[in-house]
Amino acid sequence: AANDNSKRKKPNILITGTPGTGKTTTSSALADATQFRHINIGDLVKEKNLHDGWDDDLDCYVINEDLVCDELEDLMEGGGNIVDYHGCDFFPERWFDLVIVLQTENSVLYDRLHNRGYSETKLKNNIECEIFQVLLEEAKESYSENIVMALKSDTIDDISRNVATLTDWIRAW
Ligand code: ADP
Ligand code: MN
């Protein structure tokens, strides 16, 4: 895997976390600061129809993981990508040089998701996902633990600090 990674001139970063933790805000600011490509998987799935229909129970698209991975293979090989998604276990491990898990305090996350107009069920599922650190566990199981980093995302200052940390990391790569 190390050999695959070393062929890239620029690293790829995965930004994951429970919905509402600030993945898209952080990824977009980091892309502005670094000229890296922001790939929002949710948007890509919608634009390119990389799904198997709508899930009424979960109130979201049923993502087709194989189609998503096929779509991104060439871009990922070139490096310089920031991938933004609330899941991380289906991407090829070799794609990423750094995996960031954003984490938000429960009451703060509750307000953000409430403002998004999430249903009670969806709210409850996502708050539980955050309480049980589901994405951090998923990231540690899917990638080498030394490339997985959890970052707090409660405030605007946290966003600025995280973007600065990640910009420095990219420059040093
Ligand atoms: P995600 O992509 O993880 O679902 P978003 O980036 O869309 O999350 O953020 C959800 C909402 O919460 C947005 O309104 C955003 O402005 C706000 N937000 C996200 N992270 C923070 C933060 N660290 N501090 C303050 N507000 C935040
Ligand atoms: Mn998002």
Side-chain angles (χ1 to χ4, degrees), residues 73-129:
E73 182 64 51
D74 290 347
L75 279 183
M76 297 305 291
E77 206 170 292
N81 299 290
I82 303 160
V83 174
D84 159 5
Y85 194 57
H86 59 264
C88 64
D89 60 356
F90 64 91
F91 301 116
E93 188 181 353
R94 64 187 155 74
W95 276 4
F96 297 106
D97 304 288
L98 182 64
V99 176
I100 298 299
V101 182
L102 295 181
Q103 297 189 311
T104 300
E105 213 255 307
N106 293 320
S107 61
V108 176
L109 185 63
Y110 185 95
D111 289 344
R112 285 187 202 157
L113 296 177
H114 187 76
N115 286 341
R116 262 189 186 173
Y118 274 25
S119 67
E120 275 308 311
T121 321
K122 212 168 167 177
L123 254 172
K124 185 168 163 284
N125 287 342
N126 283 302
I127 295 294
E128 273 179 21
C129 175

Side-chain angles (χ1 to χ4, degrees), residues 54-61 117-119 122:
W54 184 257
D55 185 324
D56 276 327
D57 292 331
L58 292 178
D59 197 25
C60 62
Y61 283 107
Y118 274 25
S119 67
K122 212 168 167 177

Side-chain angles (χ1 to χ4, degrees), residues 26 33 37 73 97 103 129 152 158 170:
T26 305
R37 183 187 294 107
E73 182 64 51
D97 304 288
Q103 297 189 311
C129 175
K152 186 166 81 78
D158 290 334
I170 285 172

Side-chain angles (χ1 to χ4, degrees), residues 1-2 4-6 8 10-14 39 41 44 65-83 88 90-99 142-143 147 169 173:
D4 289 338
N5 296 353
S6 65
R8 285 194 282 270
K10 290 187 271 185
N12 292 316
I13 301 179
L14 174 60
I39 301 174
I41 298 291
L44 184 79
E65 299 172 348
D66 292 335
L67 289 182
V68 169
C69 291
D70 287 350
E71 178 72 30
L72 293 178
E73 182 64 51
D74 290 347
L75 279 183
M76 297 305 291
E77 206 170 292
N81 299 290
I82 303 160
V83 174
C88 64
F90 64 91
F91 301 116
E93 188 181 353
R94 64 187 155 74
W95 276 4
F96 297 106
D97 304 288
L98 182 64
V99 176
S142 309
Y143 302 91
I147 72 158
W169 181 90
W173 195 76

Side-chain angles (χ1 to χ4, degrees), residues 19-20 22-25 40 84 116:
K23 299 179 297 296
T24 300
T25 310
N40 183 323
D84 159 5
R116 262 189 186 173

Side-chain angles (χ1 to χ4, degrees), residues 126-145:
N126 283 302
I127 295 294
E128 273 179 21
C129 175
E130 189 63 4
I131 291 173
F132 292 110
Q133 301 199 313
V134 171
L135 267 307
L136 182 60
E137 289 310 312
E138 187 174 316
K140 286 181 182 170
E141 278 167 22
S142 309
Y143 302 91
S144 164
E145 283 206 29

